[in-house]
Amino acid sequence: MVRLEVGKVRDRVREREDADRLLWLRRENMPAELARGRLVLSEEEVRTNLPVPLLGRPDQVFMSDAGLLVPVDTKTRRLPRVFLSDIVQLSVYGTILNFTTDPRVAGQDVAAYGYIRMPTLYGVVWARVALLKPSAVVELWADHWRRNEAPTAQAA
């Protein structure tokens, strides 16, 4: 008798958890490929030394239903807009994911796009953006270091 009651309670809890998840997914307005996928990283550092040393902490990385790693970054703004700096940031995460030896994600295919997630008063807006190629990220990295090391080199 008690075993049967415990089973019924467990089933009701699972049903409630499933209903809560469906409600959250509806409110979240998450792209279907991510909703059907799984969360791989959440606010965890990833790094690579190749092609250049890079370190990042993506808000989330999902394994899409197509088997691709997809970086996600959340931006809180008055209006849901995507800036070039957002695309660069996601592209750095994509480059790290492409080259890292981190066992949580190493060797996985990385999508050529990511998502900017923007919570608003009216719901969550998701913007799919094309990532810069790793070669473009390396160029930006090199430009950054050239600009930042130039004053030191001139002083010497």
Side-chain angles (χ1 to χ4, degrees):
M1 268 312 218
V2 173
R3 186 177 270 172
L4 182 61
E5 290 299 315
V6 169
K8 284 183 181 180
V9 169
R10 187 179 312 124
D11 289 345
R12 285 190 189 133
V13 167
R14 283 188 187 137
E15 287 171 7
R16 181 63 196 179
E17 288 172 348
D18 290 346
D20 288 346
R21 176 170 164 69
L22 288 174
L23 182 61
W24 177 82
L25 283 172
R26 187 172 297 133
R27 256 193 334 260
E28 181 66 21
N29 194 29
M30 184 181 286
E33 69 172 320
L34 301 183
R36 290 189 305 259
R38 68 181 170 85
L39 183 64
V40 177
L41 298 174
S42 182
E43 298 190 19
E44 298 174 58
E45 279 188 359
V46 287
R47 66 179 65 225
T48 186
N49 286 317
L50 296 172
V52 293
L54 295 170
L55 169 70
R57 185 186 294 261
D59 288 338
Q60 288 86 34
V61 175
F62 285 86
M63 176 68 72
S64 73
D65 60 349
L68 298 172
L69 293 174
V70 181
V72 174
D73 200 49
T74 298
K75 300 296 182 185
T76 305
R77 300 184 170 129
R78 285 178 35 131
L79 296 173
R81 283 192 226 164
V82 175
F83 296 103
L84 178 60
S85 59
D86 302 333
I87 296 170
V88 170
Q89 184 177 7
L90 273 181
S91 298
V92 168
Y93 298 152
T95 299
I96 294 169
L97 293 169
N98 266 306
F99 292 95
T100 190
T101 57
D102 187 318
R104 299 172 295 176
V105 292
Q108 301 293 324
D109 291 332
V110 179
Y113 57 88
Y115 285 94
I116 302 294
R117 177 184 171 273
M118 297 168 281
T120 71
L121 293 174
Y122 308 104
V124 180
V125 175
W126 292 76
R128 181 174 161 157
V129 298
L131 301 181
L132 303 172
K133 295 183 186 300
S135 58
V137 171
V138 169
E139 273 301 311
L140 290 170
W141 179 90
D143 287 347
H144 168 80
W145 286 107
R146 274 194 291 271
R147 280 193 314 273
N148 287 325
E149 289 186 6
T152 306
Q154 291 173 353

